Amino acid sequence: LFRIAKSEFYLLNFRQAKLTYEEVIKKYPKTLWAEKAAFEIGNTLFTQGENYSPKANSFQEAIEAFEEFISDYPKSEWVV
């Protein structure tokens, strides 16, 4: 499922990638895949805003997603 989300991201289907990452978190909440998916949601929203929808609310959504990630996974290797 995570790889499907990543494929959607690479195909620039950001909305679907985000939904699939959310599904990973819901189905596998206590796994490293959920942690990775939570991080990738922020990355997906940021990339969408930076390259494809700069006028959209993607940057604010990315900030919120990363804040949620930090809150949910404060000891993650991706939290600096």
Side-chain angles (χ1 to χ4, degrees), residues 45-51 53-64:
L45 291 166
F46 179 81
T47 302
Q48 177 180 348
E50 181 180 42
N51 297 307
S53 303
K55 294 182 181 176
N57 224 9
S58 294
F59 286 123
Q60 184 59 40
E61 290 179 36
I63 290 168
E64 291 167 8

Side-chain angles (χ1 to χ4, degrees), residues 34-45:
E35 181 179 332
K36 288 181 176 185
F39 181 83
E40 289 298 334
I41 288 172
N43 185 49
T44 298
L45 291 166

Side-chain angles (χ1 to χ4, degrees), residues 4-78:
I4 292 171
K6 202 66 161 163
S7 296
E8 292 293 347
F9 175 85
Y10 288 127
L11 291 170
L12 309 180
N13 296 329
F14 300 118
R15 183 179 165 283
Q16 187 58 48
K18 179 180 177 282
L19 292 173
T20 306
Y21 286 130
E22 289 170 347
E23 189 177 345
V24 170
I25 295 167
K26 187 181 285 188
K27 285 189 174 185
Y28 310 102
K30 305 270 190 222
T31 67
L32 182 58
W33 293 112
E35 181 179 332
K36 288 181 176 185
F39 181 83
E40 289 298 334
I41 288 172
N43 185 49
T44 298
L45 291 166
F46 179 81
T47 302
Q48 177 180 348
E50 181 180 42
N51 297 307
Y52 301 97
S53 303
K55 294 182 181 176
N57 224 9
S58 294
F59 286 123
Q60 184 59 40
E61 290 179 36
I63 290 168
E64 291 167 8
F66 283 128
E67 287 174 344
E68 185 174 342
F69 172 77
I70 292 167
S71 174
D72 291 347
Y73 303 97
K75 295 182 189 244
S76 172
E77 66 180 282
W78 297 298

